[in-house]
Amino acid sequence: MPDETTENKVTEVSDVPEATDVPESTVEALDAVERSETEAAKAAEHVLAAVEPTVGVSKPDPILVVDDVQRRFGGMTAVDVQHLEVQRGVITALIGPNGAGKTTFFNLLTGFDKPNQGSWAFEGRPLGGVSAAKVARNGMVRTFQLTKALSRLTVLQNMLLAAMGNPGENLFGSLVKPLWAGTEKKNTEKALEILARFKLDAKKDDFAGSLSGGQRKLLEMARALMTDPTMIMLDEPMAGVNPALVQSLLHHIQALRDDGMTVLFVEHDMHAVRHISDWVVVMAEGKIVAEGPPKSVMQDQAVVDAYLGAHHDTDLGDDSLLDPAVLARLEAEEEKR
Amino acid sequence: MELSRILTQALAELIAPTTAAIALAAIGLNLHFGFTGLLNMGQAGFMLLGAYGFGIATISGAPFWLALLISLAAGALFALILGAPTLQLRGDYLAIVTISAAEIIRMLGRATVFQEYTGGAAGLTGGSFKSTFQELSFLPAPPERGAFGPLEYVFTGSDSWWTRLFAWAVVLIAVVFVWLLTRSPWGRVLKGIREDEDAVRALGKNVFSYKMQALVLGGMCGSLAGMLYVLPRSVAPDAMGRSLTFFAWTVLLLGGAATLFGPVLGSMLFYAVYMLLRAGMREGLEGVVSATMVEQIGGLLVGVTLMLLVIFRPQGILGNKKELAFDAR
Ligand SMILES: Nc1ncnc2c1ncn2[C@@H]1O[C@H](COP(=O)(O)OP(=O)(O)OP(=O)(O)O)[C@@H](O)[C@H]1O
Ligand SMILES: [Mg+2]
């Protein structure tokens, strides 16, 4: 695999400059990623520039509106979101420390979990109590933090399974091959194209169970794209993916936005967040503690508190935070308080 | 010569109607377990219900094909009733519910309350429900007999060539049907559900509906298998209990779950070897062990075989070892 990544094929997808060298680390990889300069990127920035960076602020064209959603596990409140709007056609990052409730929030929105109270609407349609499958058919498709590759299906079968509206998936339609052979062929072409983007095309006939952890992450994202979602929700898409691929993955995510898709993603890597997101929502202990454009939100006191636990005037997007020595110093300072 | 008689008996098992019936029951289980990952531990209940459906309908005067449809419908209905409350829950619940529901069917069958219809513990005698089936035969009427190699049966009758021909034709149709289904996108959804149903849900598929379809189709295979099972004998509730489910599972795992021909191959091999063992013991250990003990030892050996199979060759004869390696997620 590694030598395949030396070529930066992503330029076909979005107009980013050629990366000359193979990045050694994630930081280096990210430095090669520039915010895409497409119309969509500029439009997103322009629209969001006018939005006040305060919690629960309303957006000009929200695709998802969440109201007063709560999920409690026993006495512990995992999610308690008063009001959140997600702007259409932009990349929104959802960040927060471990256990903040990000995954639980995803589960609630996509019908994999039921809230104790609250409501939310996707494209104006209320989605509370709607089954996970219907949510996906409505165009809101998610991936999982713990990847769910369908092990004993091949990579290509994983992809084909995801395509919507295949007449061969009907019990009676399935018996008559001419009814679905055409759809299948079209879907295969589309699947191979997406797989090529994620550098998985060489693996198309391998069982998904034989893929590495990072490759499964990629497959899951590719599979979600097969459904032609309006909004894609990615739970830590970069976790476990090697630096060179992170770089192209970030390009892909920006390309999705440039194609008009809405992206909501959970990510722990602040640098990735800073580089590609148009808007950042910060969760801590179930609540949304800040939201705003990536540059300013990282300096938000509430956010720094949430992550580092005390009053540091550190910018979370600061590369120095990647340095273990700096982190250790911050932790030591924290201890002393 | 003794040996040739034993071998002939084993050979006869290869094409016996019972072998076909269990092959069909295992084809149903294969749809459930092999392709969808559903644990049906009560296939014998589906079989018994199918047998009653066919028998009682015929006795009440239904023509053959109507009785067959009623048998199928009984299996479908049973699947719907068992699936509705359990398919939303974790897989183990279906296993528990099917195992107890099969027992309930057997108990109801033996109960004196319904004796008028089911014949109680004695069941329905063969002569009472087989006439329509035998009238269907286009082979020479009894007592005409025919031999094929060392095997000789009447053409038409209970234990006849006609019963064998019909039973295996049904199995063949079922195999073609399963082949059509499992090579299709529909079959791919089932396999996806077997691997991880949440992932399939996240892709917008109605998992409950697919699981229900698989349960119903496999259940209908089961009830039709029950009908085949009683064509050469009587409907006896106690002969169609847990051990029959256990046989069907052994057959499926022996041949290879999630393979097309696994259930058929498994059934043929199972019954031939089972007969070889028992006939061999009867001849070889004559005077040492009684006939009932031979049966008990035979049952024990089947259990041991099943265990060894699961431990050493979990993919069965036709299965792909490589596929199974990904089972640990
Ligand atoms: N099924 C559950 N039962 C009980 N508690 C749960 C359950 N799921 C989540 N929690 C709790 O809810 C809180 C939020 O968990 P969640 O998985 O949403 O965090 P997260 O923000 O995704 O964290 P991470 O960044 O580590 O993935 C945690 O404290 C967790 O222990
Ligand atoms: Mg999480």
Side-chain angles (χ1 to χ4, degrees):
Chain A
M1 276 303 283
D3 33 38
E4 277 179 52
T5 52
T6 47
E7 260 180 291
N8 189 357
K9 285 189 195 142
V10 287
T11 37
E12 309 157 6
V13 192
S14 63
D15 49 347
V16 258
E18 283 277 335
T20 40
D21 296 309
V22 193
E24 293 278 310
S25 68
T26 313
V27 180
E28 229 175 274
L30 289 163
D31 285 340
V33 179
E34 272 169 33
R35 287 190 56 85
S36 77
E37 292 296 326
T38 54
E39 290 298 310
K42 283 187 196 134
E45 205 162 341
H46 180 73
V47 165
L48 290 170
V51 177
E52 186 87 10
T54 51
V55 175
V57 67
S58 52
K59 314 277 183 325
D61 181 16
I63 190 169
L64 177 69
V65 181
V66 182
D67 272 303
D68 201 21
V69 167
Q70 272 195 25
R71 176 66 168 114
R72 289 184 291 273
F73 293 112
M76 179 262 201
T77 306
V79 169
D80 180 7
V81 171
Q82 289 301 325
H83 186 80
L84 175 70
E85 296 187 3
V86 176
Q87 170 73 8
R88 182 191 308 273
V90 310
I91 301 174
T92 305
L94 180 61
I95 64 170
N98 291 125
K102 306 178 295 291
T103 300
T104 309
F105 189 46
F106 262 34
N107 289 345
L108 294 173
L109 294 181
T110 50
F112 280 88
D113 193 5
K114 299 262 170 291
N116 296 86
Q117 63 173 66
S119 65
W120 61 100
F122 177 67
E123 296 201 285
R125 277 184 300 246
L127 279 192
V130 172
S131 77
K134 276 224 184 76
V135 170
R137 285 203 292 274
N138 272 325
M140 189 158 98
V141 177
R142 60 94 51 99
T143 65
F144 295 88
Q145 179 172 5
L146 300 171
T147 40
K148 296 187 183 294
L150 304 170
S151 300
R152 282 186 286 168
L153 261 55
T154 65
V155 168
L156 184 59
Q157 282 175 332
N158 264 267
M159 296 293 283
L160 293 175
L161 175 68
M164 299 253 186
N166 188 333
E169 284 182 2
N170 173 288
L171 175 56
F172 299 104
S174 74
L175 295 171
V176 191
K177 192 171 178 183
L179 284 181
W180 49 264
T183 315
E184 196 78 347
K185 191 154 165 278
K186 260 202 339 265
N187 288 344
T188 307
E189 278 167 25
K190 179 169 151 198
L192 290 177
E193 190 191 313
I194 297 176
L195 283 177
R197 264 203 261 165
F198 288 86
K199 302 211 162 69
L200 282 173
D201 45 345
K203 297 246 165 210
K204 71 182 168 70
D205 296 321
D206 291 8
F207 283 117
S210 73
L211 297 182
S212 75
Q215 287 169 332
R216 286 178 203 211
K217 276 261 134 155
L218 295 175
L219 174 60
E220 204 179 343
M221 187 165 156
R223 199 173 60 192
L225 290 181
M226 270 305 276
T227 63
D228 285 327
T230 332
M231 174 165 167
I232 188 162
M233 303 176 55
L234 308 167
D235 201 344
E236 303 199 13
M238 263 79 89
V241 177
N242 77 56
L245 227 40
V246 161
Q247 185 182 344
S248 71
L249 205 55
L250 293 180
H251 290 318
H252 293 320
I253 294 176
Q254 296 192 78
L256 297 180
R257 184 255 332 263
D258 298 346
D259 291 344
M261 214 178 279
T262 306
V263 181
L264 178 64
F265 76 113
V266 170
E267 188 50 61
H268 281 297
D269 188 324
M270 290 306 153
H271 306 272
V273 170
R274 189 182 58 183
H275 276 97
I276 68 160
S277 59
D278 302 305
W279 193 260
V280 179
V281 176
V282 188
M283 260 183 113
E285 291 170 6
K287 293 191 172 57
I288 293 182
V289 293
E291 56 174 300
K295 283 192 195 75
S296 60
V297 90
M298 305 263 177
Q299 288 149 9
D300 189 298
Q301 200 57 57
V303 179
V304 178
D305 289 358
Y307 271 91
L308 301 171
H311 305 274
H312 299 285
D313 50 353
T314 319
D315 177 351
L316 279 180
D318 191 339
D319 280 352
S320 70
L321 272 190
L322 276 193
D323 185 348
V326 177
L327 269 182
R329 184 174 54 78
L330 287 174
E331 258 168 46
E333 277 175 33
E334 177 64 17
E335 299 269 294
K336 273 186 239 139
R337 270 164 212 277
Chain B
M1 209 188 130
E2 295 301 349
L3 186 64
S4 76
R5 215 183 69 217
I6 296 173
L7 286 177
T8 309
Q9 276 180 320
L11 186 70
E13 287 294 293
L14 285 181
I15 60 159
T18 305
T19 309
I22 301 300
L24 185 58
I27 288 172
L29 281 184
N30 199 21
L31 272 175
H32 291 159
F33 175 73
F35 291 105
T36 323
L38 301 174
L39 283 171
N40 171 8
M41 290 293 164
Q43 190 69 323
F46 284 90
M47 293 177 73
L48 184 56
L49 211 55
Y52 276 134
F54 178 75
I56 294 169
T58 306
I59 292 168
S60 327
F64 176 77
W65 294 109
L66 179 63
L68 187 140
L69 282 181
I70 288 172
S71 168
L72 279 174
L77 193 69
F78 195 46
L80 284 173
I81 292 170
L82 297 186
T86 54
L87 289 181
Q88 308 268 24
L89 306 172
R90 260 205 351 256
D92 337 23
Y93 289 92
L94 179 68
I96 296 164
V97 167
T98 46
I99 201 170
S100 38
E103 281 300 286
I104 291 170
I105 296 292
R106 193 168 65 86
M107 292 305 173
L108 288 180
R110 328 174 70 241
T112 41
V113 205
F114 304 111
Q115 197 154 20
E116 194 187 331
Y117 308 101
T118 62
L124 303 170
T125 55
S128 61
F129 64 87
K130 281 182 216 164
S131 53
T132 54
F133 171 67
Q134 285 164 19
E135 278 158 21
L136 217 64
S137 170
F138 49 77
L139 297 177
E144 207 74 45
R145 297 175 74 82
F148 184 79
L151 305 175
E152 193 196 322
Y153 306 101
V154 285
F155 277 115
T156 302
S158 247
D159 186 24
S160 64
W161 285 113
W162 168 238
T163 309
R164 283 170 176 74
L165 188 70
F166 181 83
W168 285 104
V170 172
V171 171
L172 183 70
I173 293 169
V175 168
V176 170
F177 186 65
V178 169
W179 174 66
L180 286 174
L181 284 176
T182 53
R183 68 163 184 171
S184 76
W186 184 86
R188 193 168 53 213
V189 178
L190 293 195
K191 288 176 209 159
I193 291 171
R194 175 189 70 193
E195 298 303 304
D196 191 325
E197 58 175 80
D198 273 345
V200 176
R201 229 173 243 130
L203 297 171
K205 319 285 177 205
N206 187 341
V207 168
F208 178 76
S209 158
Y210 280 100
K211 287 209 274 192
M212 187 61 100
Q213 290 170 36
L215 190 68
V216 167
L217 287 178
M220 284 162 75
C221 286
S223 60
L224 201 57
M227 188 202 104
L228 296 185
Y229 189 77
V230 298
L231 282 181
R233 51 169 73 77
S234 61
V235 182
D238 290 339
M240 298 172 85
R242 286 166 310 232
S243 63
L244 198 62
T245 301
F246 170 61
F247 278 14
W249 272 98
T250 309
V251 158
L252 175 64
L253 295 178
L254 179 66
T259 63
L260 186 58
F261 293 106
V264 177
L265 182 71
S267 186
M268 287 178 149
L269 204 65
F270 174 82
Y271 275 103
V273 172
Y274 191 40
M275 175 56 82
L276 213 57
L277 275 176
R278 285 180 306 162
M281 277 195 288
R282 269 198 297 265
E283 295 288 340
L285 303 178
E286 207 180 353
V288 185
V289 291
S290 66
T292 42
M293 255 182 80
V294 165
E295 291 300 314
Q296 285 163 351
I297 297 174
L300 193 122
L301 285 175
V302 173
V304 172
T305 314
L306 183 59
M307 280 197 281
L308 292 178
L309 199 64
V310 172
I311 297 168
F312 293 107
R313 203 176 163 86
Q315 77 274 29
I317 295 168
L318 296 179
N320 180 349
K321 178 99 186 188
K322 224 172 71 217
E323 277 192 35
L324 221 74
F326 309 127
D327 238 9
R329 279 192 292 269

